Amino acid sequence: MTNLSYFITGYLVIFGLLGAYILHLLTLKKRLDREQKELSRQN
Amino acid sequence: MLFVNKNLKLLSFLAFLLVLAAFAMVLFYAPIELNMGIVQKVFYFHVSAAWIGMLAFLVAAVCGILYLNKKQLKYDFIAFSAVEIGLLFTAIANFSGMIWAKPIWNTWWTWDPRLTTMTIMAFTYIGYLLLRRGVDNPEKRARFGSVYAIIGFASVPLTFFSSRLLRTIHPTIFGADTGDMAMIPAMYQTMAVSIIAFTVLFAALLWHRSLLAARESELEILRAQTEVLEFGEVLDD
């Protein structure tokens, strides 16, 4: 691997982890919305 | 949508713009370091992520103290969110550091004091998340979590000062008597913008996650009430 490819990999990992966490928050939000709907229907 | 109010929307947008600006500075403004070459540019986001990781654990400890004093669950939600985000940024710092280390130190990993204390710090806070999963009662969980966050914070100064007090190959940037890495003003400016960008991003993520944590808790209570009602109906039948 060249010096440039380590640089590119470094930033891919940084933005990849940030993106994955934001995706996790969006998925969590969707799950909570769904659960809230189900629970309010049950009640 | 994840945005529940205007201020949070604004903060998130500002964070996005700042991260973009910081990355543009890394690419086009910061010069290429003579000895290490372009891979040294990983440094700007690596340092910012490590800094935010430590800030997040400080926020968790402060919220732990506030919870123990005021017994308001909102502080527990913020503390939990800060730890989760702190671990994310610690992971970013660790992985980006490993990628930077490979061409410079010729190894992905070495049991250097800074790297070792940072790993101990990360595992300490993974333990915090595991402990919380094992406690069902929200108040008990908040109390245990608060005490853990306060005691666990001892690992943060240990990590911060490890490269200053012990023999290490890890460069010291802040508060070093002699510069381990020669930096010119353009490098310091890029680093400052990166740290500001990550701080705003941290604030936005913390706000989002705390709101979600509060909703998770509300649903947990609602779920428990529904189960009690269903159980009552079964008994009546």
Side-chain angles (χ1 to χ4, degrees):
Chain A
M1 272 175 94
T2 63
N3 213 323
L4 179 68
S5 44
Y6 280 110
F7 165 75
I8 294 168
T9 313
Y11 276 97
L12 279 178
V13 167
I14 291 168
F15 286 116
L17 283 169
L18 279 175
Y21 186 71
I22 291 166
L23 209 66
H24 159 70
L25 292 187
L26 286 167
T27 315
L28 180 64
K29 168 83 170 63
K30 271 186 189 168
R31 187 173 63 80
L32 292 177
D33 285 345
R34 201 176 56 239
E35 275 183 25
Q36 195 158 25
K37 265 184 197 167
E38 277 172 20
L39 282 170
S40 53
R41 208 171 43 233
Q42 279 176 19
N43 290 330
Chain B
M1 280 295 285
L2 203 58
F3 305 109
V4 286
N5 71 47
K6 214 175 172 182
N7 291 338
L8 181 53
K9 199 174 180 176
L10 204 72
L11 187 71
S12 307
F13 186 62
L14 182 69
F16 174 74
L17 283 184
L18 280 169
V19 171
L20 216 64
F23 190 52
M25 281 182 82
V26 169
L27 290 178
F28 308 114
Y29 182 66
I32 293 175
E33 211 260 352
L34 283 176
N35 296 320
M36 290 185 257
I38 197 166
V39 74
Q40 181 271 342
K41 287 192 177 200
V42 170
F43 152 84
Y44 302 105
F45 277 30
H46 165 76
V47 171
S48 307
W51 186 251
I52 295 303
M54 291 184 192
L55 176 72
F57 298 142
L58 173 69
V59 169
V62 170
C63 286
I65 294 168
L66 286 171
Y67 175 78
L68 292 177
N69 276 330
K70 300 187 176 180
K71 304 284 179 217
Q72 290 174 2
L73 277 175
K74 67 176 178 184
Y75 293 114
D76 180 55
F77 301 148
I78 301 171
F80 162 72
S81 307
V83 168
E84 195 180 274
I85 298 164
L87 276 171
L88 165 77
F89 281 101
T90 304
I92 288 174
N94 259 331
F95 288 122
S96 59
M98 283 166 76
I99 292 163
W100 181 17
K102 179 62 181 157
I104 304 304
W105 295 345
N106 202 26
T107 178
W108 295 102
W109 183 264
T110 172
W111 290 104
D112 172 84
R114 167 54 70 86
L115 277 69
T116 308
T117 49
M118 198 158 190
T119 307
I120 292 169
M121 183 179 79
F123 277 106
T124 303
Y125 285 98
I126 289 170
Y128 169 94
L129 295 182
L130 291 176
L131 174 87
R132 288 183 64 95
R133 277 177 174 268
V135 186
D136 286 333
N137 183 311
E139 277 159 19
K140 211 173 184 181
R141 185 170 55 211
R143 202 166 59 244
F144 284 176
S146 299
V147 174
Y148 195 111
I150 295 163
I151 297 171
F153 185 71
S155 64
V156 176
L158 187 77
T159 304
F160 185 80
F161 289 109
S162 60
S163 63
R164 288 156 183 81
L165 302 174
L166 302 164
R167 261 172 69 125
T168 171
I169 54 169
H170 191 281
T172 304
I173 307 299
F174 301 109
D177 293 335
T178 53
D180 285 0
M181 199 166 76
M183 281 176 57
I184 60 166
M187 289 169 146
Y188 278 114
Q189 286 153 9
T190 309
M191 189 175 73
V193 172
S194 301
I195 289 174
I196 292 166
F198 269 43
T199 308
V200 177
L201 178 66
F202 166 64
L205 287 175
L206 185 66
W207 195 340
H208 280 295
R209 189 63 186 95
S210 302
L211 288 174
L212 288 174
R215 277 196 63 198
E216 273 181 307
S217 176
E218 279 168 21
L219 280 175
E220 199 178 27
I221 294 164
L222 206 65
R223 215 178 294 128
Q225 284 171 347
T226 311
E227 276 168 16
V228 168
L229 279 172
E230 281 174 359
F231 186 64
E233 280 169 14
V234 170
L235 283 181
D236 288 343
D237 290 344

